């Protein structure tokens, strides 16, 4: 059940200097905090408090306006959902047609008085490919069968995607958008071998950037398809390859059973995905047999969802990407919209406030038409890169 939609500072240098100071220096009364306090004159403090009050009043007025706007967004969304359930026509006035308010008041002033330093918030490290592989070995005694080359994985993906019902254009253009046109089957979001020191920004892996939760959910909902496919392949093998496939099939069945131990909701699947067993399931994205199926069904579920809702026209790659990014229900809301409405409806209608304010692309390209257009442009540009051309050749 998919829902609508990743240091070290100079303070350590100062700490090192203080640690090496002589006792005479360390006991002097003129610490940094004392110096700041002495520098903060009554006039400076008065001016700061005046500016702070001015800022707080401006910010409160903005928050009142913004709160009303995002409440209207939520209420309109509820109306559209109800009308869609009743198969009623959704009209232009079922959307908020103005752009979100933007704060233009004064900035928060900097206090001239010393403030108590807060310890930096500890950031939990994200698991990476090595963690997923270790979890698979530890919990399912399984090592994914990696492809001998990137081309081998691309060919396996192309064969399965076409047979399952994705079009060549959908697969290649979404790959171009999601990976920048050069992504490998084991590429994790944020990690770039060409950039030493790069760090993972999410657990998303591969051509269509599956998160751990995506993998768990796809196993829970489509696992029977994967089992049927591998069973058919195993029947055509013999000897050592058959033995290896039988073991993979047994592991696959155990993983499917694990993902079905909770209700079929994104929230419950997310909890499983954040366990070592969930990481082990995600390791299957790297398997040359199962990985292409997971990557395909990440997109295919959106195609099937659209058909089930009565939308039978083939989705363009950009439309499919909207459903891939925002979730099927939200994405279909955009996809089914006539072009004239796309030109007028702000993208804010399809976001929660926090998600919108962290999304510079949606803010800059602030109507449905413009967001789809920039998605197409990025697909065009990245489609000329080597990885996209290699995938195109695989089809």
């Amino acid at each position: 059940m998919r829902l609508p939609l990743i240091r070290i500072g100079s303070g350590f240098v100062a700490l090192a200097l203080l640690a090496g100071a002589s006792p005479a220096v360390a006991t002097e009364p003129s610490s940094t905090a004392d110096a700041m306090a002495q520098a903060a004159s009554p006039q400076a403090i008065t001016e700061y408090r005046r500016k702070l009050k001015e800022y707080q009043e401006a910010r409160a007025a903005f928050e009142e306006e913004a709160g009303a706007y995002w409440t209207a967004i939520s209420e309109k969304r509820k109306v559209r959902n109800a009308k869609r359930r009743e198969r009623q026509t959704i009209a232009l006035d079922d959307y908020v047609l103005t752009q979100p308010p933007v704060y233009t008041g004064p900035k928060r002033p900097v206090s001239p008085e010393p403030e108590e330093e807060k310890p930096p918030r500890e950031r939990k490290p994200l698991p990476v490919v090595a963690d997923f592989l270790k979890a698979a070995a530890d919990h399912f005694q399984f090592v994914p069968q990696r492809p001998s080359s990137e081309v081998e994985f691309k060919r396996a993906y192309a064969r399965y995607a076409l047979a399952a019902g994705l079009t060549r254009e959908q697969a290649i253009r979404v790959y171009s958008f999601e990976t920048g046109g050069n992504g490998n089957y084991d590429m994790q979001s944020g990690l770039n071998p060409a950039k030493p020191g790069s760090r993972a920004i999410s657990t998303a892996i591969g051509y269509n950037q599956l998160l751990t939760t995506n993998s768990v959910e796809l196993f829970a909902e489509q696992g029977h398809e994967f089992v049927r496919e591998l069973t058919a392949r195993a029947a055509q093998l013999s000897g050592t390859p058959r033995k290896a496939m039988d073991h993979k099939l047994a592991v696959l069945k155990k993983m499917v059973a694990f993902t079905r131990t909770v209700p079929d909701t994104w929230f419950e699947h997310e909890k499983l995905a954040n366990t070592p067993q969930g990481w082990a399931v995600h390791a299957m994205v790297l398997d040359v047999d199962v990985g292409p199926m997971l990557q395909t069904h990440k997109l295919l579920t959106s195609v099937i969802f659209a058909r089930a809702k009565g939308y039978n026209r083939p989705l363009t790659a950009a439309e499919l990407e909207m459903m891939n990014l925002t979730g099927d229900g939200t994405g279909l809301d955009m996809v089914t919209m006539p072009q004239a409405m796309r030109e007028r409806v702000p993208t804010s209608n399809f976001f929660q406030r926090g998600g919108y304010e962290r999304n510079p692309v949606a803010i800059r390209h602030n109507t449905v038409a413009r967001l789809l257009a920039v998605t197409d442009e990025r697909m065009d540009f990245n489609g000329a890169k080597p990885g996209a051309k290699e995938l195109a050749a695989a089809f």
Side-chain angles (χ1 to χ4, degrees):
M1 186 173 293
R2 302 170 64 203
L3 284 185
L5 278 182
I6 111 205
R7 100 196 36 214
I8 295 176
S10 58
F12 286 94
V13 177
L15 183 62
L17 289 173
L18 287 173
S22 67
V25 172
T27 56
E28 285 182 1
S30 56
S31 65
T32 302
D34 290 339
M36 290 180 65
Q38 291 170 10
S41 65
Q43 293 85 354
I45 293 173
T46 299
E47 179 65 7
Y48 163 73
R49 289 174 180 170
R50 182 189 68 77
K51 289 182 177 180
L52 179 61
K53 184 173 183 294
E54 185 180 89
Y55 162 78
Q56 289 171 333
E57 289 173 348
R59 193 75 202 185
F62 167 74
E63 288 299 330
E64 184 176 357
E65 181 185 8
Y69 178 89
W70 288 103
T71 296
I73 289 285
S74 178
E75 292 302 318
K76 291 280 189 180
R77 184 180 296 118
K78 290 177 184 177
V79 170
R80 294 197 304 275
N81 289 341
K83 292 181 76 170
R84 194 171 286 110
R85 284 194 298 271
E86 299 298 322
R87 297 190 178 277
Q88 297 177 11
T89 301
I90 294 174
L92 191 61
D93 62 4
D94 291 320
Y95 298 90
V96 174
L97 299 179
T98 56
Q99 295 294 339
V102 178
Y103 179 72
T104 57
K107 294 182 180 180
R108 185 183 186 94
V110 177
S111 174
E113 299 177 290
E115 296 182 358
E116 183 180 351
E117 290 188 10
K118 296 179 181 180
R121 187 172 60 181
E122 187 174 345
R123 184 165 58 179
K124 187 177 180 181
L126 285 166
V128 294
V129 166
D131 299 309
F132 305 138
L133 293 172
K134 184 177 185 302
D138 290 346
H139 294 278
F140 291 92
Q141 296 72 56
F142 181 74
V143 177
Q145 181 186 348
R146 310 286 285 270
S148 59
S149 66
E150 184 63 29
V151 171
E152 182 186 4
F153 197 97
K154 282 187 168 71
R155 287 172 179 164
Y157 174 56
R159 283 194 303 270
Y160 189 82
L162 283 176
L166 287 183
T167 68
R168 180 178 184 273
E169 180 198 41
Q170 287 170 336
I172 296 168
R173 289 176 69 77
V174 171
Y175 163 88
S176 299
F177 183 88
E178 289 283 351
T179 72
N182 266 329
N184 293 338
Y185 77 96
D186 58 354
M187 180 189 87
Q188 185 168 350
S189 181
L191 290 176
N192 187 340
K195 294 181 179 178
S198 60
R199 297 196 306 181
I201 60 174
S202 82
T203 59
I205 292 179
Y207 298 167
N208 298 320
Q209 290 290 277
L210 274 73
L211 298 164
T212 49
T213 310
N214 292 130
S215 293
V216 168
E217 185 153 279
L218 287 169
F219 266 67
E221 296 178 351
Q222 308 297 330
H224 58 286
E225 295 281 351
F226 305 158
V227 169
R228 182 164 58 241
E229 176 70 20
L230 285 199
T231 300
R233 294 185 193 183
Q236 300 173 359
L237 302 173
S238 61
T240 301
R242 173 61 185 264
K243 186 177 180 181
M245 185 63 80
D246 284 343
H247 176 57
K248 185 183 300 186
L249 187 55
V251 170
L252 178 62
K253 290 177 180 178
K254 289 179 182 178
M255 288 183 172
V256 171
F258 164 72
T259 62
R260 291 178 176 173
T261 57
V262 298
D264 183 16
T265 68
W266 180 269
F267 176 73
E268 293 294 341
H269 291 155
E270 188 174 41
K271 288 197 293 186
L272 283 191
N274 288 327
T275 67
Q277 293 95 328
W279 297 359
V281 170
H282 197 44
M284 276 294 196
V285 174
L286 308 171
D287 186 86
V288 71
D289 291 312
V290 182
M293 292 192 279
L294 286 166
Q295 295 291 349
T296 295
H297 280 271
K298 172 71 154 40
L299 302 184
L300 194 62
T301 50
S302 296
V303 174
I304 294 170
F305 180 87
R307 288 175 187 162
K309 296 297 182 180
Y311 191 79
N312 295 315
R313 182 179 64 78
L315 294 167
T316 68
E319 290 172 341
L320 181 56
E321 181 59 32
M322 287 302 103
M323 296 181 71
N324 188 33
L325 285 175
T326 65
D328 290 334
T330 301
L332 190 64
D333 196 356
M334 287 189 266
V335 166
T336 55
M337 192 182 297
Q339 183 62 30
M341 288 174 62
R342 291 180 179 184
E343 299 285 349
R344 294 190 58 188
V345 174
T347 56
S348 53
N349 283 275
F350 310 99
F351 289 85
Q352 301 294 333
R353 179 181 177 181
Y356 180 82
E357 291 176 346
R358 291 191 300 271
N359 193 322
V361 176
I363 293 172
R364 189 161 54 249
H365 307 280
N366 57 9
T367 65
V368 173
R370 292 178 64 185
L371 186 59
L372 286 166
V374 75
T375 302
D376 263 323
E377 289 170 12
R378 192 166 297 180
M379 288 175 171
D380 288 340
F381 179 78
N382 292 335
K385 294 182 180 178
K389 288 183 176 180
E390 188 174 72
L391 181 58
F395 278 86

